[in-house]
Amino acid sequence: MSTTDRTSYRTCPLCEATCGLEVRTRGREVLGIRGDEADPFSRGFICPKAYALKELDADADRVRTPLVRRDGVLVPATWDEAFAEIDRRLVPLLGEHGRNAVGVYLGNPSAHALALGLYAQVFLRALGSRRVFSASTVDQFPKQVAAGLMFGTSLSVPVPDLDRTDWLLVLGANPLVSNGSLMTAPDVPGRFRAIRARGGRIVVIDPRRTRTAEAATEHHFIRPGTDAFFLLAMLHTLFAEDLVRPGPLAEHTTGVDEVEALVRPFTPEAVAARCTIDGATIRRLARELAHAERAVVYARIGTTTQEFGTLASWAVDVLNVLTGHLDRPGGAMFTQAATGSPHTRGTPGRGKGVRFGRWTSRVRGAPEVYGELPCACLAEEIETAGEGRIRALVTIAGNPVLSTPNGARLARALERLEFMVSLDLYVNETTRHADVVLPGVSPLEQSHYDVVLRQFAIRNVATYSPPTFDVPAGQQPEWQTLLRLAAVVAGQGPAVDTAALDEFVTTQRVEHECGTHRSPIEGRDPAEILAALAPRRGPERLLDLMLRTGPYGDGFGTRPQGLSLAALEASPHGIDLGPLAPRMPEVLRTPSGKIELAPAPIVADVERLRTALGRANGGMVLVGRRDLRSNNSWMHNLHVLVKGDARCTMHVHPEDAARLGLMNGGLARVASRAGTIEVPVEVTDAIMPGVVSVPHGWGHAEAGVRLRIAAAHAGVNSNRLADEHALEPLSGTAVLCGIPVTVAPAG
Ligand code: SF4
């Protein structure tokens, strides 16, 4: 093996921030990782998780060979044996019970990995099941549903132009810890400091005094689940005080009068008791937003994982539109990703819009959203007898037992499956139920390009990372594993030639592109395009196609200075494509060709909110908590990230602790309709009275899990408390923020 010292540059794949890394290696060993100072977007910033890539790469608990269940135990097998088992058990099941008998769960890392993202789609097409679930219905679909209804596509999510704003309102987000979500922005701490250094203001609305709140100029506690009331009261103030000034957006907007009527009942005084924010403060913030030259409202997980998540997301964008802060520097803007988006394709300024409910879940009739069913329905779809029952499950880089509602019920349901396959790095709380585990590879053994996350970047940037290491002998690139799975479910058998299948998949894609109206290669000969892509294969070939037909692409010769994968390979730190630029009206893909401020599903749902206005706030409620050294469930087997004091604790306000008899460091029993957990108590005034907080992603003490470090820092699974029946109706997203609970000392 080579022992040559090497320095390579790559994008960190661990969260949404896309920081540039400088990775020093000697042979197959990682010597060190630090921030890439020359990365035009992250400029050297990284967080502690990046260092853990070294440990992740070397983790002895990672699955490195396929595992097949024999006599109840997962044992090592060859790739051929593993695929023979999948073929033997999955294909008859598909033949007898149809495509919907096989469900698929896609975990969050699928959105962070080039190969998984591109080739999971190939597998899904080959499978043809309508039982697809993902982490999107755990936390983010409300944002995408609202954006789709207003602007026309699932990816039309405006992002805050942090680098030019002077007034920022943040609700339910903790980007100093999460590093941003549906807002790709490395170095949020630095960007926040810059806002304040130029005299700007940051206002945070959150039930916890988070690190983001501490970095803000102003923070207000809000009762969990009431953000929509707060936001509609801000809208009410704009109308009541004649502050509606959409400016140039007016000619591209419909529905202003309908919004005025919708928000009429939500006066600041009417919502104050529900939100626990007084009416005067709401009015003042609405005025400040309206009068600021460069301002933006940004909201995330606390507002999207609640009862009125889509309404809250809609209200955020309506505030930005009505104050003229959408689509202008310093406001909420649309990214133009180099690989293209639904809102850079087709006819500029008009499209088909979005449609939901094309099919429903079998048991409770929940509508599909963007092709997916709510993950909170997965357990009942497995358990409930009858035609169309999910009998087999494929999980791809996911751990829904820890990350979706009522994980205990889901774990029991997985035991009732007739067959389960998992593609994963670990035998975790979910994959321990699988009959076949197919190993993924280390992030450092893969090439990388953030096709998804660059869609939400606050600056247009493109960066490609070649693999740092080769895939070790005996392992297989994930795209080939997914192609082989696709071949099995397509009935082509387990011994398919993946190179030939990749050729087929790519040719289809090129032919489609050559036949696509307004594509830069419309009408070209597919053979010519395929020749131009040679000799690339796999994800690189598809990525090159996307870049070259994207908004900055070279169009295979039509724009010779344009972008291509070769250009990115020649720029290892990435290529800066500039700040976000106004895109109205070409960005729109709504049927009307306008920003639709009052789409019918939203209008109908406001009545549900109005009814809830009269409800009392009730007892204790639970919210989640994010930690800088955690990323959902899957990074707890890395010592560097779990060492130190236990972080899976329950935060409770001192007044509540005294009232409930809870001691700092003692154990609390927390119960909800769905389940009960016992968790160590941390008394702190950083949380508001009436609310407790437990982080999610923990609970690693299950038998059969092969995560030795995580087991020593097990924590408890807070999703045992999440009610699988509580769904936000428009997006099918789980209600995780504001779960009613009772809290008492344990024992
Ligand atoms: S902030 Fe996210 S992308 Fe940046 S180093 Fe940390 S984990 Fe990686």
Side-chain angles (χ1 to χ4, degrees):
M1 178 187 285
S2 159
T3 54
T4 313
D5 284 11
R6 209 161 64 88
T7 299
S8 58
Y9 300 94
R10 54 182 308 127
T11 307
C12 176
L14 298 178
C15 87
E16 298 184 36
T18 69
C19 299
L21 307 179
E22 181 184 294
V23 184
R24 288 180 301 110
T25 53
R26 177 171 301 153
R28 185 57 188 73
E29 185 191 1
V30 178
L31 297 178
I33 295 175
R34 65 182 183 193
D36 176 8
E37 302 282 346
D39 183 290
F41 199 22
S42 58
R43 301 174 298 215
F45 174 85
I46 55 172
C47 83
K49 290 192 285 294
Y51 304 111
L53 273 172
K54 174 180 159 97
E55 249 183 72
L56 176 62
D57 185 63
D59 190 348
D61 286 345
R62 270 206 296 117
V63 182
R64 287 182 167 78
T65 183
L67 302 173
V68 175
R69 192 170 297 279
R70 306 272 187 227
D71 299 323
V73 180
L74 285 169
V75 297
T78 66
W79 285 93
D80 285 345
E81 287 166 345
F83 275 99
E85 182 73 357
I86 297 168
D87 190 61
R88 184 177 76 79
R89 302 202 36 201
L90 204 53
V91 173
L93 213 144
L94 282 166
E96 195 176 338
H97 300 287
R99 315 308 286 181
N100 291 343
V102 180
V104 180
Y105 180 86
L106 298 162
N108 172 289
S110 314
H112 294 249
L114 177 65
L116 278 185
L118 294 178
Y119 284 87
Q121 295 307 316
V122 176
F123 166 68
L124 288 176
R125 274 198 301 279
L127 177 62
S129 171
R130 288 183 162 181
R131 302 291 178 259
V132 178
F133 307 82
S134 87
S136 293
T137 52
V138 181
D139 68 34
Q140 78 179 47
F141 263 1
K143 199 100 179 151
Q144 289 181 263
V145 167
L149 291 169
M150 294 173 72
F151 308 116
T153 84
S154 62
L155 298 180
S156 306
V157 176
V159 296
D161 184 13
L162 291 188
D163 292 343
R164 290 177 288 186
T165 198
D166 294 328
W167 195 93
L168 172 66
L169 176 60
V170 179
L171 292 101
N174 188 8
L176 260 72
V177 163
S178 70
N179 290 302
S181 183
L182 290 179
M183 174 186 81
T184 294
D187 191 14
V188 172
R191 290 184 147 93
F192 270 36
R193 280 195 300 275
I195 291 173
R196 295 195 60 178
R198 58 180 178 261
R201 287 174 52 73
I202 302 168
V203 181
V204 171
I205 308 288
D206 200 293
R208 298 191 306 114
R209 191 173 63 250
T210 59
R211 275 186 58 188
T212 302
E214 281 167 357
T217 34
E218 182 177 338
H219 166 236
H220 300 277
F221 286 128
I222 186 169
R223 174 81 176 175
T226 65
D227 302 78
F229 294 117
F230 170 84
L231 290 160
L232 266 68
M234 284 190 69
L235 284 167
H236 177 100
T237 305
L238 296 182
F239 286 104
E241 301 190 9
D242 196 20
L243 295 171
V244 172
R245 302 269 191 281
L249 294 173
E251 64 173 304
H252 307 300
T253 302
T254 63
V256 177
D257 293 344
E258 286 95 324
V259 173
E260 181 173 15
L262 287 172
V263 302
R264 204 165 284 142
F266 301 93
T267 66
E269 285 66 32
V271 307
R274 289 298 318 270
C275 303
T276 62
I277 298 177
D278 64 82
T281 299
I282 296 172
R283 288 183 201 283
R284 175 175 60 79
L285 292 174
R287 289 177 200 132
E288 286 185 19
L289 171 67
H291 292 307
E293 179 64 23
R294 296 181 296 181
V296 63
V297 185
Y298 165 70
R300 194 50 189 102
I301 199 135
T303 63
T304 55
T305 57
Q306 58 162 279
E307 196 182 349
F308 301 104
T310 301
L311 278 184
S313 301
W314 163 79
V316 165
D317 287 333
V318 176
L319 277 168
N320 287 325
V321 171
L322 294 185
T323 51
H325 294 308
L326 184 92
D327 197 48
R328 66 185 274 195
M333 303 191 76
F334 296 95
T335 312
Q336 183 149 279
T339 50
S341 315
H343 53 78
T344 60
R345 301 175 68 84
T347 307
R350 190 177 287 272
K352 291 183 180 159
V354 294
R355 278 178 59 210
F356 308 118
R358 294 165 296 172
W359 60 88
T360 59
S361 71
R362 183 177 60 99
V363 178
R364 76 173 90 166
E368 65 72 38
V369 173
Y370 296 129
E372 296 184 18
L373 294 175
C375 63
C377 298
L378 178 55
E380 69 199 25
E381 292 291 326
I382 297 169
E383 291 166 346
T384 309
E387 197 173 327
R389 177 170 89 82
I390 293 180
R391 294 166 182 271
L393 184 69
V394 179
T395 69
I396 298 173
N399 191 355
V401 166
L402 288 196
S403 55
T404 68
N406 201 343
R409 178 178 176 185
L410 181 58
R412 290 193 299 274
L414 296 181
E415 283 300 298
R416 297 172 65 167
L417 288 167
E418 293 170 28
F419 189 59
M420 178 172 163
V421 184
S422 294
L423 168 56
D424 212 287
L425 293 179
Y426 291 111
V427 178
N428 61 30
E429 295 70 21
T430 297
T431 61
R432 74 188 172 108
H433 297 278
D435 298 287
V436 176
V437 179
L438 301 169
V441 295
S442 158
L444 298 181
E445 292 161 355
Q446 311 187 45
S447 58
H448 188 67
Y449 184 99
D450 279 302
V451 173
V452 177
L453 306 180
R454 299 281 181 201
Q455 303 284 339
F456 308 113
I458 65 159
R459 193 172 175 91
N460 295 313
V461 178
T463 310
Y464 169 75
S465 317
T468 305
F469 300 127
D470 293 336
V471 173
Q475 289 192 249
Q476 187 170 284
E478 289 168 356
W479 64 274
Q480 291 182 13
T481 303
L482 285 164
L483 277 178
R484 220 167 154 183
L485 270 177
V488 169
V489 297
Q492 294 180 13
V496 73
D497 176 351
T498 51
L501 190 51
D502 186 46
E503 202 61 36
F504 173 74
V505 165
T506 310
T507 301
Q508 270 196 328
R509 187 125 177 202
V510 169
E511 285 173 352
H512 174 78
E513 194 64 42
C514 290
T516 296
H517 182 48
R518 289 181 174 271
S519 164
I521 58 171
E522 180 185 7
R524 301 268 289 269
D525 179 359
E528 173 214 341
I529 302 299
L530 283 164
L533 291 167
R536 299 189 191 279
R537 293 288 178 271
E540 273 64 29
R541 182 162 53 171
L542 290 177
L543 176 63
D544 198 23
L545 176 66
M546 293 163 77
L547 288 167
R548 297 174 77 174
T549 55
Y552 311 90
D554 72 359
F556 290 88
T558 56
R559 293 177 298 217
Q561 302 308 314
L563 209 57
S564 64
L565 183 51
L568 289 186
E569 286 169 325
S571 304
H573 306 288
I575 294 180
D576 182 14
L577 300 164
L580 305 188
R583 292 188 52 198
M584 204 57 70
E586 62 84 10
V587 70
L588 297 173
R589 292 295 183 275
T590 51
S592 63
K594 304 279 186 189
I595 300 170
E596 298 188 3
L597 287 191
I602 296 283
V603 171
D605 203 38
V606 172
E607 178 56 22
R608 191 170 61 92
L609 187 73
R610 200 190 59 75
T611 305
L613 192 51
R615 217 194 282 163
N617 273 344
M620 301 292 292
V621 291
L622 173 76
V623 299
R625 192 165 84 238
R626 186 72 183 257
D627 184 273
L628 186 58
R629 288 185 290 144
S630 257
N631 191 358
N632 304 323
S633 64
W634 75 277
M635 298 184 72
H636 293 157
N637 208 49
L638 308 174
H639 176 71
V640 67
L641 296 182
V642 292
K643 66 184 180 185
D645 294 341
R647 302 201 305 276
C648 186
T649 59
M650 184 191 78
H651 283 188
V652 60
H653 190 273
E655 289 169 15
D656 289 325
R659 181 172 54 81
L660 297 167
L662 299 168
M663 302 287 291
N664 200 31
L667 209 56
R669 172 168 297 169
V670 190
S672 72
R673 191 211 67 82
T676 302
I677 61 170
E678 292 189 358
V679 59
V681 174
E682 210 175 329
V683 179
T684 169
D685 67 359
I687 192 161
M688 68 187 289
V691 183
V692 290
S693 161
V694 180
H696 77 279
W698 298 89
H700 303 291
E702 304 290 341
V705 171
R706 301 182 186 178
L707 296 165
R708 284 170 292 185
I709 293 173
H713 304 266
V716 292
N717 179 4
S718 68
N719 273 318
R720 282 176 175 259
L721 299 171
D723 186 346
E724 74 275 28
H725 295 298
L727 289 188
E728 193 275 325
L730 297 189
S731 67
T733 301
V735 176
L736 305 175
C737 182
I739 299 169
V741 289
T742 57
V743 185

